[in-house]
Structures are given as C-alpha cells and as structure tokens.
Amino acid sequence: MQINRTASAHWSGGLKDGKGLISTQSGALKDYPYGFASRFEGIPGTNPEELIGAAHAGCFTMALSLILGEAGFTAEHMETSAKVTLESVEGGFAITAIHLSLSGRIPGADEATFTELANKAKAGCPISKALAAVPITLDVKLA
C-alpha cells in the first residue's frame, strides 16, 4: 500500500519582503500566508516549523491510539503539543530539537504503562522516523 499526499508553496519577492502561500491537497490549507515575518517575528501567518509540529503531534497521537488499542486500552482523551526549536547554527538555521508534551486520560492505565506505550509511539510514528536526525523528547502525564 502506498499513499501520496501533496502540498505546495508559492513565493514572490525576496526573503524579508517576500510573501508566500501554502496549500494542501485536502484543502485544509488553501493559499495560507507565510513569510519571514510569520517565521521570525511573530506576525500572523504560518511557518514551516509549526506545520512540522502539527504534523508530528497528530501522527504521534494517532500512533499512540493504535498502540493503546493493541494493549487493550482506549483513550478517553489525549492532548499532544509539539515544540519545534529552530536555531541559528554554523552554516545557517536548523531544527535542533522537538519536544512532545502529552496529557491523557486512559481508563485502566497507570502512568508507567502510559509512558511506555507513548515512547513506543514516539519511536514508531512515521513523522518521528522522518525526523530521526533531530533529537525528539517526550513528557507524559495522566490527566
């Protein structure tokens, strides 16, 4: 089985004065603005790092749902945030860390079991695998 998803970016202008638009195949994002100011200055719009964070949080949480089910648990609620760190390093900018924070209500699971299964999901989710060059950390909390 092979699944292909597409996204596109359009850019006009220079780095600091330019403007970009991001779109996804599904239409969830359609000509959504991004640019230097939204990436480095906190101006409204999106940026590649927050999109990576959203993708990683979503993928990880879905993978954990599967792993919980295989272990006989069903999540009543899970919330994952992803903090993607972009830093200036020798040679330019790089994503130097990703930190996942997970909170969940899992009937019948204790903190140790939830943490063990969450770490399994972190290691196995496709986005974690794609980002393997970046250190990925995780904290887990039962709600």
Side-chain angles (χ1 to χ4, degrees):
M1 176 180 174
Q2 182 181 44
I3 299 170
N4 295 298
R5 301 286 187 236
T6 62
S8 63
H10 171 82
W11 188 267
S12 297
L15 174 63
K16 289 190 176 184
D17 67 342
K19 296 192 182 336
L21 300 171
I22 292 176
S23 297
T24 57
Q25 175 184 353
S26 69
L29 295 175
K30 175 103 174 100
D31 295 334
Y32 200 85
Y34 80 106
F36 186 90
S38 64
R39 191 172 197 183
F40 296 104
E41 299 171 353
I43 302 301
T46 193
N47 58 72
E49 292 74 33
E50 86 175 358
L51 295 171
I52 287 171
H56 200 182
C59 182
F60 163 77
T61 308
M62 286 181 75
L64 180 53
S65 178
L66 169 67
I67 290 168
L68 286 168
E70 292 172 346
F73 300 105
T74 301
E76 186 177 302
H77 164 81
M78 290 191 291
E79 181 81 26
T80 304
S81 65
K83 178 182 172 185
V84 177
T85 302
L86 178 70
E87 291 184 285
S88 178
V89 297
E90 188 176 322
F93 281 87
I95 293 173
T96 57
I98 298 172
H99 182 74
L100 300 172
S101 293
L102 167 68
S103 175
R105 189 171 304 121
I106 316 299
D110 59 27
E111 189 108 17
T113 301
F114 189 40
T115 299
E116 175 188 341
L117 298 175
N119 276 300
K120 186 176 175 183
K122 178 179 76 97
C125 98
I127 300 295
S128 288
K129 290 177 183 178
L131 299 172
V134 178
I136 300 169
T137 54
L138 170 66
D139 65 61
V140 178
K141 179 182 169 190
L142 274 177

